[in-house]
Amino acid sequence: MQDKLLIGSHVSMNKPKYFLGSVEEALSYGSTTFMFYTGAPQNSFRVPLEQCLINEGRAFMKENNIDETKIIVHAPYIINLASPKDETFEMSVRLLKTELVRTSAFGAKTLVLHPGSHVGAGLEFGIDRIAKGLDLALSEVNNDVLIALETMAGKGSEVGSRFEEIAEIISKCAHKDRLGVCLDTCHMSDSGYDIDDIDSLLNEFDRIVGINRVKCLHINDSKNVRGAKKDRHANIGYGEIGYKTLNKYVHHELFKNVSKILETPYIDDLAPYKQEIAMFKNGYVDHWIDEFKK
Ligand code: FE
Ligand code: FE
Ligand code: ZN
C-alpha cells in the first residue's frame, strides 16, 4: 500500500449513491485516490451530510485500500475571498467554513481552494483580503483539515498565479500551519513557468513557498502555450505540455505521498481517466484518443 502510485481524477458526487458513488467511480478508473466537490462547484446548495452515504463510502475505501486521508475535496469555485464586494466576501467566508466542516466529515484532510480574483481592486488588496478571509474561516472552524491554495493560471484578475503571491498570502495568515498548496501543471505553465525544467521549478517553489507545503498536484495538459493565462485543460499528451513533462511530476520522489489528480476534459461525454491513469503507470500510447473513441 505504501508504494502504490497515488493517482486519481476528480469524480462526481451525485444522487442516489453520493459519496459511495464517488468511490466506485474512482475505483473504476484504477485510481488509488480521488478528488470531489461536496456539492455543485458553481453554487452554495449542499446536500445534507446525512444523505451522502459517507459511512458506506468510507467502508468501501477501506475495503479497497484507499487511504481516506489522501483524498481531496475541491472547494466550490464561487468562493472568492479576494472580492472587493462585502457580500461576496462574507458569503465566501461562510461557504469556506461549511466546506471545512464537510471535508472533515468525509475523512479527508485537504481542501483545495482557488485563492480568488480581485476583480480590479488590485493584487495587494486581493492578497490581504484572502489572508483575512482564510483567518476568519480557520479561526471559527478548528479541525485538522488543511486548505491547499491552488496555483492559478493568471486568467483575468486571479490571485495566486505566481509563487510569490501564494507565499505572501501564507505569510499574512495567522493560521499558517493549516495552509498548504496545490500545484496545477496547466496553471503553472499558463502562468509562464517552464514546468519541463522540474528541478529549477521545484527549487524556486521551495525557496519562495517551501516544498513541504505541497499537499496536492493537479496533473493536466494545457491547450495553450506557456504564459497564455487561458486555463484550458487538455488531455494528457494532447496539449502544449506533453506526457513526458507531466510524467516527471507524477513520479517525482518528493511527491510520493502527495495525491496526483487529473482534471482533463471528457471526450465525447466519456471520462478519459482510466486510460490516462494507465499511461502514467505503463507508458504513453500514441494517438490513444483514436482508440478511445472506437
Ligand atoms: Fe481548481
Ligand atoms: Fe486544478
Ligand atoms: Zn484550471
Side-chain angles (χ1 to χ4, degrees):
M1 200 177 150
Q2 269 280 308
D3 288 307
K4 263 192 328 195
L5 184 62
L6 255 182
I7 190 166
S9 68
H10 84 106
V11 298
S12 53
M13 187 175 80
N14 297 324
K15 62 175 169 236
K17 287 177 128 182
Y18 293 103
F19 189 52
L20 177 59
S22 308
V23 179
E24 288 175 348
E25 185 183 341
L27 287 166
S28 78
Y29 303 145
S31 303
T32 50
T33 185
F34 60 94
M35 179 174 85
F36 67 108
Y37 288 91
T38 81
Q42 71 281 8
N43 67 45
S44 62
F45 175 76
R46 289 294 176 265
V47 177
L49 289 169
E50 308 78 68
Q51 276 177 45
C52 291
L53 300 189
I54 294 178
N55 291 337
E56 290 81 351
R58 290 176 83 169
F60 199 53
M61 275 194 283
K62 206 166 179 189
E63 254 174 67
N64 288 281
N65 293 319
I66 290 189
D67 179 353
E68 64 179 18
T69 67
K70 297 294 179 189
I71 66 169
I72 311 285
V73 174
H74 198 305
Y77 45 71
I78 48 162
I79 291 182
N80 184 8
L81 295 177
S83 174
K85 272 194 177 159
D86 289 335
E87 315 91 87
T88 307
F89 177 77
E90 281 154 24
M91 173 277 289
S92 297
V93 172
R94 225 179 307 124
L95 218 69
L96 182 57
K97 284 192 281 186
T98 312
E99 284 302 300
L100 280 166
V101 173
R102 289 175 71 85
T103 298
S104 141
F106 290 89
K109 305 273 179 241
T110 310
L111 175 63
V112 168
L113 175 74
H114 294 176
S117 294
H118 63 71
V119 283
L123 196 53
E124 281 313 308
F125 174 92
I127 288 170
D128 286 345
R129 191 91 147 164
I130 293 164
K132 189 177 154 204
L134 288 170
D135 274 338
L136 283 171
L138 288 167
S139 59
E140 278 191 50
V141 181
N142 200 357
N143 62 18
D144 62 356
V145 174
L146 285 185
I147 294 180
L149 302 168
E150 182 166 352
T151 57
M152 303 309 288
K155 192 174 153 191
S157 62
E158 275 173 357
V159 181
S161 66
R162 305 301 300 175
F163 299 156
E164 287 81 359
E165 295 165 26
I166 301 273
E168 210 181 326
I169 295 169
I170 295 173
S171 84
K172 287 189 166 161
C173 197
H175 295 86
K176 293 177 185 51
D177 52 322
R178 294 168 70 192
L179 295 177
V181 176
C182 169
L183 298 178
D184 186 310
T185 53
C186 167
H187 297 175
M188 289 191 293
S189 172
D190 270 31
S191 163
Y193 289 103
D194 177 6
I195 74 159
D196 184 58
D197 192 353
I198 185 167
D199 291 335
S200 311
L201 181 123
L202 295 181
N203 278 331
E204 185 176 347
F205 183 86
D206 189 38
R207 183 169 46 80
I208 299 168
V209 182
I211 201 74
N212 292 333
R213 293 271 182 199
V214 179
K215 300 300 168 192
C216 179
L217 243 50
H218 285 172
I219 303 294
N220 303 305
D221 214 326
S222 175
K223 290 207 165 121
N224 297 99
V225 292
R226 184 176 148 198
K229 299 186 172 19
K230 291 255 173 60
D231 194 5
R232 305 268 322 275
H233 301 184
N235 289 105
I236 304 304
Y238 283 76
E240 298 290 336
I241 299 173
Y243 172 84
K244 234 183 86 200
T245 299
L246 296 170
N247 198 49
K248 295 186 203 172
Y249 288 81
V250 169
H251 292 283
H252 201 287
E253 260 275 314
L254 281 173
F255 303 136
K256 228 166 49 191
N257 295 310
V258 174
S259 288
K260 274 76 68 179
I261 304 291
L262 295 156
E263 306 172 293
T264 50
Y266 273 43
I267 302 161
D268 297 343
D269 294 325
L270 289 172
Y273 308 124
K274 191 175 178 187
Q275 279 75 5
E276 293 181 328
I277 288 168
M279 291 193 298
F280 284 122
K281 291 180 182 164
N282 309 320
Y284 192 65
V285 178
D286 280 320
H287 310 293
W288 64 272
I289 289 186
D290 299 342
E291 197 54 42
F292 183 84
K293 283 184 167 176
K294 278 180 197 159

